[in-house]
Amino acid sequence: MRILVVGAGAIGGYFGGRLLQAGQDVTFLVRPKRAAELASSGLAIKSPNGDITLKNPPTIQADALNEKFDVILLSCKAFDLDDAIKSFAPAVGPATSIIPLLNGMLHLDVLDRKFGPERVLGGLCAIAVTLNEKREVVQLTPMQSLGFGERDGRMSDRVKAIAEVFARGNCGAAPSEHVMQDMWEKWVFLASLAAATCLMRTSVGNILAVTGGRDFLLGMLDECSAVATAEGFAPGGPFFQRTRGILTAEGSPMTASMFRDVKAGLPVEADHVIGDLIARADAAKIPVPKLRTAYTHLKAYEKQRAS
């Protein structure tokens, strides 16, 4: 099975690297600068689950991509999606399966329009990973998972085949028969955490420590959950209890990666993670005042950054 990993940053580098370490046929689609880094220093992974440096990992650049791949693992940021699609489009054939690991849902519509829904699986990952100043992939905690599956819940032959290959990577990859529910639940958690920590510019623990902080955090969770429920994916059970516990853990240093991006002056996925939830809330006539305030805050940040 030929696997094209779009990008070799934190997420693509980690999961693609683990598959390559396990002997799978992996190629990284990268820009010239990253190609030079990988050729010079290899793909280095620093992880509680085991360090490794993969010398001369297979790479290709967009202008040389002319072969079809069986699986495309897509881990770009939402604001890079259009450029990513242009770069990997030549690798998509009639039997190609695209596994997007982006946040939210907007990317599914974009990919469906370009390649057809039959080629686009549902996908998500949960991992705390970053690139350090040495351009090494650094996993911050042992947690790691990569879920994928047919969006209608079928356990198809192609999903079984991908699952068999991905399982060899020892990176928490597993198929799901409810991948859309999984994606919505991740979105609810991520949007709640991102909207709250970006708006308050601090950690969960610091928000909880002030008057009204707990109500604010749980109110944000309630707004996001109401939108998911209106879309037919009501969060509940162990997920909801776990998320509620995370958002009410006193002293927690947790912040969203979006907040860390704001602090670093980097682009953020305001429209994809928060704006789309608001659009869906409007369609369902659900009031989401906290989300609206967080979105305005993030769009003002984007305006300031652009100027």
Side-chain angles (χ1 to χ4, degrees), residues 42 44 47 153 171 176 227 245:
S47 165
C171 56
S176 172
V227 179

Side-chain angles (χ1 to χ4, degrees), residues 160-180:
K160 292 176 184 176
I162 294 169
E164 182 178 347
V165 170
F166 278 27
R168 299 169 192 160
N170 193 30
C171 56
S176 172
E177 293 181 274
H178 39 77
V179 72
M180 293 301 292

